[in-house]
């Protein structure tokens, strides 16, 4: 009887210990975007969990537009749904200044000075780092060198939009499943408007003048959007109004896009023979220009941040330090391949001989990132910072409204002039409501 009681006590003790151990594990809920590098991070995060058995990771993986909505709502309402959020250069300084994000403070092993200045500055507010870059990007022209050559054309390292249109006309061959050019058309401030803002910039346009008045009916906007609609209507794939990054990536990897101007991060995917049927045929150039080179290529980082509402900031920062470190980049290089590491964040990546040997896009990517200047991205002086966005809280709503109109124009549902008029009116209402002018 006494032995049975002792055994029962021992079993109970073991159960209690096991329960305590289970309860001790901290769960971090991470909201992230459904692109290749983030998916790879989820696969490799087992290494983090093995090294940190007291921390468990729960992933919420969302399409880009849905992610933006979910994290914006959560951080603004202090909902506490997420411990780590994937956000970018638009949100970080604004949210940091509002006190919605926790400042990140890493130890010396993190080598914060190795972060590219453009990335570090774009994710800071008043000198404080509020998000760590998982990967950084600019935009550039990615093209099929074989198609260009076969057409008797050449692609300069700094092409103009006029030249790109000529090449698109020459290589467009829908009967063989090849479209001259693929560009974003899906509506969203970070979707079609990311690309279209750079197009408008290089046409000499801007979002707002120095009085904060929207400029959507000015000649540069009319010229840029008319060119875009005409170009994709003639030489783009069917249904371009529904295409964003992932849709075009799939088309490109199948050999269906002759050219693509988009995020530099795409270069690692389209030049990977495991993913791309045309990996050995791709080449790279800087984003095309028109009236001015200013603002022709964007600047962005997908970064990891901790909302102020999280009660697990120490554990969250530990994960962020791991996921954005040189050690993580080396892990990807070793396990996946150096051509597939997340780029655009650290100078040491571009100094790495293994990376340079594997990534033929490296020089073009770094040149694009270094050339983008958020403080001087428009021909006429502008009151805002940002290349493919205006860094004001109201831009998210305005960008979504304008993006919907531009997508409708591309789909042929409305004329360009009508779309710009409606977009101008919506932007004007938003800016008046926010008190920028009466």
């Amino acid at each position: 009887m006494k032995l049975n009681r002792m055994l029962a006590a021992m079993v109970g003790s073991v159960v209690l210990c096991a329960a305590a151990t289970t309860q001790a594990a901290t769960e971090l809920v991470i909201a992230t975007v459904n692109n290749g590098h983030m998916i790879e991070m989820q696969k490799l995060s087992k290494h983090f969990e093995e090294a940190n058995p007291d921390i468990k990771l729960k992933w919420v993986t969302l399409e880009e537009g849905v992610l933006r909505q979910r994290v914006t709502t959560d951080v603004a309402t202090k909902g506490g749904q997420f411990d780590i959020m994937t956000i970018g250069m638009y949100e970080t300084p604004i949210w940091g200044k509002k006190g919605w994000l926790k400042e990140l403070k890493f130890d010396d092993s993190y080598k914060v000075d190795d972060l590219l200045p453009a990335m570090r500055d774009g994710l800071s507010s008043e000198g404080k780092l509020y998000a760590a870059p998982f990967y950084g990007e600019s935009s550039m022209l990615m093209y099929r060198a074989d198609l260009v050559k076969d057409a008797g054309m050449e692609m300069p390292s700094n092409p103009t939009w006029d030249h790109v249109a000529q090449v698109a006309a020459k290589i467009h061959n829908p009967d063989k499943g090849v479209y001259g050019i693929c560009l974003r058309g899906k509506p969203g401030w970070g979707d079609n408007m990311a690309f279209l803002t750079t197009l408008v910039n290089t046409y000499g346009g801007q979002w707002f003048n120095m009085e904060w008045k929207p400029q959507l009916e000015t000649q540069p906007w009319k010229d840029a959007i008319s060119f875009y609609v005409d170009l994709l209507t003639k030489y783009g794939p069917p249904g371009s109004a529904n295409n964003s990054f992932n849709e075009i990536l799939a088309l490109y990897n199948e050999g269906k896009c002759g050219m693509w101007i988009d995020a530099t991060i795409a270069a690692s995917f389209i030049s990977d023979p495991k993913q791309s049927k045309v990996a050995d045929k791709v080449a790279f150039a800087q984003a095309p220009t028109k009236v001015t080179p200013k603002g022709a290529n964007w600047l962005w980082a997908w970064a990891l941040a901790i909302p102020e509402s999280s009660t697990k900031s120490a554990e969250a920062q530990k994960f962020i330090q791991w996921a954005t470190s040189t050690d993580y980049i080396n892990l990807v290089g070793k396990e996946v391949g150096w051509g597939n590491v997340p780029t655009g964040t650290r100078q040491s990546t571009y100094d790495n001989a293994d990376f340079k040997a594997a990534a033929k896009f490296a020089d073009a990517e770094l040149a694009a990132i270094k050339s983008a200047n958020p403080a001087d991205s428009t021909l006429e002086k502008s009151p805002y910072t940002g290349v493919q966005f205006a860094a004001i809280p109201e831009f998210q709503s305005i960008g979504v409204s304008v993006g919907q109109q531009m997508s409708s124009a591309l789909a042929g549902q409305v004329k360009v002039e009508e779309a710009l008029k409606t977009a101008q009116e919506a932007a004007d209402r938003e800016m008046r409501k926010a008190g920028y002018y009466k």
Side-chain angles (χ1 to χ4, degrees):
M1 194 77 174
K2 189 180 288 185
L3 181 60
N4 287 341
R5 283 199 297 269
M6 286 175 65
L7 286 170
M10 288 171 67
V11 169
S13 178
V14 169
V15 169
L16 286 171
C17 287
T21 302
T22 303
Q23 290 171 357
T26 300
E27 183 180 75
L28 296 178
V29 182
I30 306 171
T32 195
V33 67
N34 65 337
N35 63 33
H37 282 307
M38 301 308 188
I39 301 299
E40 200 61 58
M41 174 172 58
Q42 293 175 45
K43 293 177 184 175
L44 293 174
S45 63
K46 63 184 180 183
H47 294 277
F48 176 82
E49 290 184 309
E50 286 167 4
N52 299 274
D54 56 328
I55 300 175
K56 298 300 175 190
L57 307 176
K58 180 181 178 182
W59 298 89
V60 179
T61 307
L62 303 165
E63 186 270 331
E64 186 173 318
V66 178
L67 173 78
R68 295 186 197 281
Q69 293 170 357
R70 289 275 300 273
V71 299
T72 299
T73 300
D74 190 66
V75 77
T77 60
K78 296 182 171 58
Q81 249 187 307
F82 309 113
D83 300 297
I84 297 172
M85 293 175 165
T86 305
I87 60 175
M89 282 190 175
Y90 166 68
E91 302 97 337
T92 302
I94 296 172
W95 294 358
K97 193 172 183 178
K98 285 177 175 284
W100 291 356
L101 302 174
K102 295 184 186 289
E103 181 186 356
L104 299 181
K105 296 178 180 178
F106 299 115
D107 59 40
D108 292 343
S109 69
Y110 186 70
K111 302 173 187 172
V112 70
D113 291 335
D114 183 41
L115 296 176
L116 294 173
M119 298 299 154
R120 187 175 175 181
D121 293 345
L123 297 169
S124 299
S125 177
E126 298 175 352
K128 296 177 179 178
L129 188 69
Y130 284 102
F134 181 68
Y135 71 79
E137 64 185 32
S138 183
S139 55
M140 64 181 177
L141 171 63
M142 297 161 279
Y143 66 98
R144 287 276 300 278
D146 60 325
L147 298 180
V148 174
K149 184 180 178 181
D150 291 346
M153 304 285 285
E154 291 183 354
M155 184 63 71
S157 57
N158 289 280
T160 64
W161 272 110
D162 291 337
H163 183 72
V164 166
Q166 291 169 13
V167 174
K170 286 278 190 179
I171 66 177
H172 185 61
N173 193 346
D175 290 341
K176 291 189 176 180
V178 176
Y179 304 99
I181 191 164
C182 296
L183 299 169
R184 295 190 189 198
K186 189 175 183 178
W189 71 265
D191 272 299
N192 62 342
M193 293 319 301
F195 166 74
L196 285 175
T197 300
T198 64
L199 184 65
V200 168
N201 289 342
T202 196
Y203 263 79
Q206 61 193 144
W207 273 97
F208 308 101
N209 66 12
M210 290 304 291
E211 285 74 49
W212 287 105
K213 298 285 180 70
Q215 300 294 294
L216 298 165
E217 289 187 283
T218 58
Q219 200 61 46
W221 273 86
K222 291 177 182 177
D223 291 344
I225 303 304
S226 296
F227 170 79
Y228 162 77
V229 169
D230 184 63
L231 185 68
L232 279 182
T233 300
K234 288 179 177 176
Y235 311 122
S240 285
N242 299 314
N243 288 344
S244 186
F245 180 89
N246 286 334
E247 290 82 7
I248 299 175
L249 177 62
L251 286 170
Y252 201 104
N253 283 345
E254 284 295 315
K256 295 182 178 181
C257 294
M259 291 182 289
W260 182 21
I261 293 90
D262 210 300
T264 54
I265 203 69
S268 63
F269 304 133
I270 64 174
S271 57
D272 178 6
K274 294 177 184 176
Q275 302 181 51
S276 172
K277 292 180 179 179
V278 294
D280 60 336
K281 298 177 175 65
V282 299
F284 308 95
Q286 295 302 298
T289 59
K290 179 66 176 179
V291 175
T292 175
K294 286 188 176 183
N297 54 300
W298 71 58
L299 185 68
W300 184 255
W302 276 119
L304 302 177
I306 307 170
E308 186 60 39
S309 56
S310 174
T311 58
K312 306 162 188 174
S313 57
E315 294 87 352
Q317 179 150 311
K318 196 171 189 178
F319 176 79
I320 291 174
Q321 176 156 344
W322 174 82
T324 63
S325 66
T326 54
D327 287 344
Y328 177 81
I329 293 171
N330 291 332
L331 176 65
V332 178
K334 180 182 175 184
E335 299 239 338
V336 187
W338 276 98
N340 298 288
V341 300
T343 59
T345 62
R346 292 178 172 273
Q347 182 61 46
S348 58
T349 302
Y350 296 92
D351 295 337
N352 186 296
D354 291 327
F355 172 69
K356 288 194 285 188
K360 59 183 178 180
F361 55 84
D363 290 343
E365 178 182 61
L366 187 60
I369 289 171
K370 288 187 173 181
S371 69
N373 184 357
D376 185 21
S377 63
T378 56
L379 185 61
E380 300 295 328
K381 193 175 180 183
S382 295
Y384 56 88
T385 58
V387 183
Q388 77 280 23
F389 57 82
I392 58 173
E394 295 74 21
F395 179 77
Q396 189 164 345
S397 174
I398 291 171
V400 169
S401 297
V402 176
Q404 289 167 343
Q405 291 301 315
M406 299 307 101
S407 190
S408 294
L410 178 58
Q413 296 168 353
V414 294
K415 292 183 178 180
V416 169
E417 292 77 8
E418 184 184 344
L420 288 171
K421 184 176 187 294
T422 304
Q424 172 74 17
E425 291 169 353
D428 181 68
R429 282 195 302 272
E430 194 73 28
M431 295 301 279
R432 287 180 188 276
K433 188 170 72 173
Y436 284 84
Y437 52 86
K438 293 183 180 180

